[in-house]
Amino acid sequence: MPKHLVITADDFGLSPEINDAVEQAHLHGVLTAASLMVGAPATADAVARARRLPNLRVGLHLVLVEARPLLPPAEVPGLVDHHGRFRVDTAAYGAAIFFSPARRRQVRAEVAAQFEAFRRTGLVLDHVNAHRHFHLHPVIAGAMIAIGRDHGMRAVRLPAEPSRLTGAIDPAAPRFLPAVVRPWTAMLGRKLRAAGMMVPDQVFGLAWTGAMTGERIAAVVDRLPEGLTEIYTHLATAGAFAGAAPGYRYVEELAGLLSPEVRAAVARSGASLGGFLDAPPRG
């Protein structure tokens, strides 16, 4: 099976610092794709950049946590706090969505609004994923599949990271989060494949979220499995900006994607490089 590698930047549109980094890493490094937040403060700037970067594949980064909804808060009252922002108490929030028909309707309405906002950009929809992997939630997954299919969704991130490989690179690599999400990724994978969606065979970025340094990316690429692989990153030209996640090594991740070491590893791998929709057809 041939190797195809997608290297993605998340949170495209959150800030000019992220947008700058995406453009630099695509033009001068190995970044092939970016996941767009359609309701973020710098979305218009991100879309303008994407339009002048025809080889950058752009997907939708669904946001249902840690941000403001695209719809007016009064239309999604069960999803927001008293400040009009999505709730951040993820466990209780997820349970409330699951058990409340009203909240499920609000999820569908917000997901539909975000897909429609992406459609209005005129960009080709390369892939879909969700902020904090919230599309692992069965209600959100169901809404994403049903609505996304009507908006041309054909590929979705499945955050199934092979801990054996990350552990071989770094025995101290965190294993808790990959283990926690494993049952949910299995369930989502079954739903996506049944819906005819393309999913990666493996994804890297979970254990080292916010710290996908060049050394780690090169080590993954040097051990790249066969099939479709996604490496997702968080890039910015500064370490501190509005909306920055505490502790994320944004500037280091950008430097890694620009580094000769990572470029050399990609060349050695023999993998084709591009977006999800550039992947060779499966036999």
Side-chain angles (χ1 to χ4, degrees):
M1 184 184 302
K3 298 177 182 179
H4 183 74
L5 178 59
V6 181
I7 303 179
T8 310
D10 280 357
D11 302 341
F12 193 34
L14 179 61
S15 75
E17 292 85 353
I18 289 175
N19 297 350
D20 283 342
V22 167
E23 186 164 5
Q24 288 183 31
H26 177 64
L27 289 175
H28 307 296
V30 294
L31 187 75
T32 63
S35 301
L36 178 69
M37 291 175 153
V38 292
T43 295
D45 174 66
V47 172
R49 292 173 192 259
R51 287 174 178 159
R52 63 176 185 256
L53 298 171
N55 293 322
L56 178 69
R57 305 308 185 215
V58 182
L60 172 61
H61 197 51
L62 285 170
V63 180
L64 289 144
V65 66
E66 296 182 348
R68 290 192 175 276
L70 198 61
L71 292 174
E75 294 185 22
V76 287
L79 309 184
V80 299
D81 60 19
H82 63 284
H83 297 296
R85 295 179 62 85
F86 287 126
R87 291 172 54 176
V88 295
D89 54 337
T90 311
Y93 179 30
I97 289 171
F98 187 83
F99 290 108
S100 166
R103 288 185 175 91
R104 292 199 294 271
R105 287 193 295 272
Q106 291 167 31
V107 165
R108 288 193 291 272
E110 178 65 22
V111 168
Q114 292 188 29
F115 269 103
E116 178 60 20
F118 189 96
R119 184 195 65 78
R120 290 196 299 270
T121 69
L123 299 171
V124 175
L125 181 64
D126 180 74
H127 61 273
V128 178
N129 52 52
H131 194 53
R132 301 297 182 190
H133 306 300
F134 216 19
H135 62 311
L136 291 172
H137 190 293
V139 171
I140 296 169
M144 176 187 68
I145 292 169
I147 296 163
R149 185 185 287 137
D150 292 337
H151 284 78
M153 181 179 80
R154 291 158 55 194
V156 177
R157 176 183 296 160
L158 186 65
E161 185 173 71
S163 296
R164 190 171 297 177
L165 195 151
T166 56
I169 295 169
D170 177 8
R175 294 174 180 263
F176 177 72
L177 185 57
V180 166
V181 304
R182 193 168 294 126
W184 302 99
T185 57
M187 181 166 36
L188 178 60
R190 288 192 292 271
K191 289 181 179 179
L192 291 170
R193 293 182 182 98
M197 298 295 157
M198 179 191 305
V199 297
D201 296 296
Q202 50 274 323
V203 167
F204 295 93
L206 197 63
W208 294 316
T209 293
M212 284 299 290
T213 61
E215 181 181 12
R216 287 168 171 164
I217 294 171
V220 168
V221 174
D222 277 335
R223 297 165 174 80
L224 199 66
E226 292 185 343
L228 173 57
T229 302
E230 181 185 17
I231 298 174
Y232 70 90
T233 62
H234 297 87
L235 315 174
T237 55
F241 53 88
Y248 274 33
R249 295 156 67 176
Y250 292 102
V251 176
E252 285 185 60
E253 294 202 23
L254 171 59
L257 293 187
L258 294 170
S259 71
E261 292 79 12
V262 168
R263 294 172 67 91
V266 169
R268 284 194 301 271
S269 73
S272 58
L273 202 60
F276 281 88
L277 300 186
D278 298 309
R282 308 223 172 183

